[in-house]
Amino acid sequence: MHKSFRFYLQLGFTLLVCAFLIVPIVLSMLAGITDNFFIGLSSGFTGRWIAQVWDTYQVTIWRSIAIALACLVVTTIAGVPLAYMLARHNGGNSRLARAIEELLMMPVAVPGLATALALIMAYGQYREFRGSLLFILVGHVLFTLPFMVRPVLAVMQSSQLSVLEEAAASLGAGLMQRFFGIVIPNVFSGILAGALMVVTLSIGEFNITWMLHTPLTMTLPVGLADSYASMRLEVGSAYTLIFFVMIIPLLIAMQWVTHTTRSRVRL
């Protein structure tokens, strides 16, 4: 069957949009391994900019990873039971469930700078807390918690958890036994999808972190902005290259988990 002109037109438009988005990223990554970006690729390739970034900013990379993992622990401990509670309240359709969901989405709906400013106004007077990584962690948890709750809640609402729980209860299983023995195994794909999203968003979060950080609590995205502002373009681009090396595997894993979850739901 011959493909129509309309198909090729749509394909061309799609490829054009993809090129528009991808080409600047590729150029930025190439700048990080080019000896002199303004001369071009003819200047030769080098790894000294990556080495310089690692020597200068490696602490921000490890700090971002630590905050992301801590954020994952907190959002998992708080988000999974919260999603379970929302699912139990008439499948998340009760007024209470809707109100809680709306409150959860507020840090996502409002600008990150506004959320950070609110945290500073509320807790900025506690100097030790204000200057610690814990302060940034609170901002990250507020921002990423909905991205843990939503996937878990979606899996709970699409599965037959209520039937399985009733069967387990009839056999004498208590609430905690049902939660850890029935609920957690059945929603693990949702937890994994939420975990990948939380880690990805936490590592790349800039707006909240920029307002909350101090010179001693600078994270990877803030360091990236600092490198572009205070050093050579090649250094900032090398920093971008390191950032993409960290993020792209997480994005691929998140895409795979989402596809797997949808396939299971259809079955």
Side-chain angles (χ1 to χ4, degrees):
M1 183 176 181
H2 295 290
K3 291 182 172 62
S4 64
F5 173 76
R6 185 177 182 180
F7 169 80
Y8 288 108
L9 184 63
Q10 292 173 339
L11 178 62
F13 178 75
T14 303
L15 294 176
L16 183 63
V17 172
C18 290
F20 180 78
L21 296 174
I22 294 173
V23 167
I25 297 174
V26 173
L27 289 176
S28 178
M29 295 174 70
L30 283 175
I33 56 175
T34 303
D35 190 59
N36 191 320
F37 176 72
F38 296 100
I39 296 177
L41 298 179
S42 59
S43 64
F45 295 101
T46 181
R48 66 188 175 110
W49 306 122
I50 296 176
Q52 184 174 339
V53 168
W54 187 254
D55 291 339
T56 307
Y57 293 103
Q58 65 170 303
V59 65
T60 67
I61 297 173
W62 296 120
R63 189 177 292 134
S64 287
I65 293 174
I67 292 175
L69 293 177
C71 186
L72 172 60
V73 172
V74 175
T75 52
T76 301
I77 293 174
V80 176
L82 182 55
Y84 180 62
M85 183 200 71
L86 292 173
R88 285 175 64 91
H89 279 75
N90 299 324
N93 293 320
S94 68
R95 290 184 178 180
L96 177 61
R98 288 198 299 269
I100 293 175
E101 281 195 80
E102 289 173 2
L103 288 174
L104 279 174
M105 293 304 297
M106 282 186 63
V108 180
V110 301
L113 295 178
T115 301
L117 181 59
L119 288 173
I120 292 173
M121 292 176 64
Y123 306 111
Q125 66 270 25
Y126 304 105
R127 292 190 176 182
E128 291 187 1
F129 179 51
R130 172 68 181 88
S132 68
L133 289 176
L134 187 59
F135 196 47
I136 296 177
L137 177 61
V138 170
H140 282 215
V141 169
L142 286 175
F143 177 68
T144 59
L145 184 59
F147 297 95
M148 173 60 75
V149 174
R150 286 289 181 136
V152 175
L153 180 60
V155 175
M156 287 182 177
Q157 290 176 337
S158 62
S159 60
Q160 300 295 325
L161 278 182
S162 59
V163 177
L164 296 174
E165 282 194 273
E166 288 177 8
S170 67
L171 296 174
L175 177 61
M176 298 304 292
Q177 287 179 305
R178 298 197 303 270
F179 183 76
F180 288 103
I182 301 296
V183 176
I184 296 297
N186 280 277
V187 301
F188 184 74
S189 60
I191 295 174
L192 183 57
L196 291 170
M197 197 173 297
V198 166
V199 172
T200 302
L201 291 173
S202 178
I203 290 177
E205 208 296 314
F206 174 77
N207 291 329
I208 294 176
T209 312
W210 184 77
M211 283 284 288
L212 299 183
H213 89 285
T214 67
L216 298 178
T217 59
M218 184 182 295
T219 62
L220 190 153
V222 179
L224 177 60
D226 179 75
S227 68
Y228 271 110
S230 60
M231 295 189 177
R232 289 185 57 153
L233 176 65
E234 292 88 350
V235 175
S237 297
Y239 206 148
T240 302
L241 181 60
I242 294 175
F243 179 77
F244 274 109
V245 168
M246 294 174 59
I247 290 296
I248 288 177
L250 292 174
L251 294 176
I252 294 173
M254 188 165 58
Q255 186 72 18
W256 177 81
V257 170
T258 302
H259 176 73
T260 304
T261 302
R262 287 178 179 174
S263 299
R264 289 181 179 177
V265 170
R266 288 171 186 171
L267 293 175

